[in-house]
Amino acid sequence: MTPIKACIFDLDGVIVDTAKFHYLAWKRLANELGFDFTEEDNERLKGVSRMDSLNILLEIGGVEVDDKVKDELARKKNEWYVELITHMDEKEILPGTTEFLTLLKENGIKISLGSASKNAKMILEKIGIVHMFDAIIDGTDITKAKPDPEVFLLGAKALNVEPGECIVFEDAVSGVEAAISAGMYVVGIGSKETLYKANDVVKSLADMTLDRLAK
Ligand code: G6P
Ligand code: MG
């Protein structure tokens, strides 16, 4: 069995629940454009890049605009999103996260972030755990969005380990697919029904133990 040398974590939905803030900002944009945007619609945006999310939202509303307007709409949404996350602090860290990261550190397992978000570093700083990461790969480093494996392969490279020595933690279907394409073992965070492609699924990082990883 290949020894585990590194763990790569998605951010939104794994370490923090920012989906609610993304949702409020997208909803505000949809409302401004004259249509509604439900929480169910928002599920389709999990793990999806900012521009791809906007395209899905516009498709839901049946709105067609040119690229210049799209840039402006994405900028606006991000401004609102950043406003909403300004007050984030360590209380927003999902249960079990800090304990699990500490356990990994104590056992010499390297840690990387693998997120599509361009706001990832700022969020890690706000919640006070940025120092626990040996590498941070985020939306500013990648050219191809999940399900492309780029984000996770860059993480392995930055940590100087082989993909087969990494375990990925992901809450989005596209992220699970990206990890599988990268040749990594993947633990889904959420429900088995949605994340059935993952090697293992837990409800949250609070359910993770080293024994479970070793298996
Ligand atoms: C994560 C979230 C998505 C979000 C994307 C880009 O993958 O799950 O909902 O759209 O990051 O985030 P950003 O902060 O760059 O707009
Ligand atoms: Mg996620």
Side-chain angles (χ1 to χ4, degrees):
M1 205 180 87
T2 321
I4 302 148
K5 290 197 178 156
C7 287
I8 306 182
F9 295 85
D10 173 49
L11 177 69
D12 299 294
V14 174
I15 294 177
V16 282
D17 176 22
T18 40
K20 58 187 181 211
F21 300 125
H22 279 295
Y23 171 62
L24 289 173
W26 285 127
K27 189 177 167 65
R28 185 169 169 186
L29 187 70
N31 292 165
E32 195 167 274
L33 292 168
F35 61 95
D36 199 23
F37 183 69
T38 64
E39 282 193 61
E40 200 187 329
D41 294 332
N42 194 53
E43 284 300 307
R44 291 177 60 191
L45 308 190
K46 285 191 179 166
V48 177
S49 74
R50 196 181 303 168
M51 242 340 146
D52 290 346
S53 298
L54 177 64
N55 285 325
I56 294 173
L57 181 121
L58 293 174
E59 184 198 298
I60 290 169
V63 174
E64 276 183 41
V65 292
D66 62 27
D67 286 353
K68 211 169 145 234
V69 176
K70 275 188 191 172
D71 283 345
E72 177 52 22
L73 295 176
R75 192 198 59 74
K76 238 187 193 179
K77 180 268 168 179
N78 190 56
E79 206 176 285
W80 293 330
Y81 175 66
V82 170
E83 236 169 71
L84 288 166
I85 61 171
T86 307
H87 304 294
M88 275 183 95
D89 59 19
E90 68 282 352
K91 291 196 285 299
E92 298 273 348
I93 303 173
L94 288 172
T97 305
T98 312
E99 292 81 354
F100 186 56
L101 293 177
T102 306
L103 192 68
L104 295 177
K105 284 224 147 316
E106 285 167 358
N107 285 275
I109 297 170
K110 291 180 183 170
I111 302 171
S112 175
L113 192 81
S115 165
S117 173
K118 292 184 174 157
N119 296 298
K121 200 153 180 218
M122 177 180 65
I123 293 173
L124 289 183
E125 278 163 3
K126 278 186 185 298
I127 61 175
I129 58 169
V130 71
H131 62 280
M132 299 188 92
F133 288 79
D134 301 294
I136 293 176
I137 308 295
D138 64 19
T140 64
D141 300 301
I142 55 172
T143 53
K144 288 170 246 147
K146 298 169 187 176
D148 190 281
E150 184 186 23
V151 67
F152 296 133
L153 293 174
L154 287 176
K157 204 171 156 200
L159 296 176
N160 209 10
V161 296
E162 294 299 322
E165 298 168 328
C166 297
I167 298 193
V168 168
F169 295 86
E170 252 297 345
D171 71 310
V173 174
S174 62
V176 168
E177 287 169 355
I180 294 169
S181 302
M184 298 176 181
Y185 184 93
V186 51
V187 178
I189 306 286
S191 80
K192 282 198 176 112
E193 289 71 35
T194 316
L195 304 174
Y196 62 89
K197 287 185 187 164
N199 301 100
D200 192 7
V201 178
V202 290
K203 280 205 183 70
S204 80
L205 289 177
D207 297 334
M208 277 313 298
T209 57
L210 277 191
D211 272 358
R212 192 155 185 162
L213 266 197
K215 277 180 202 142

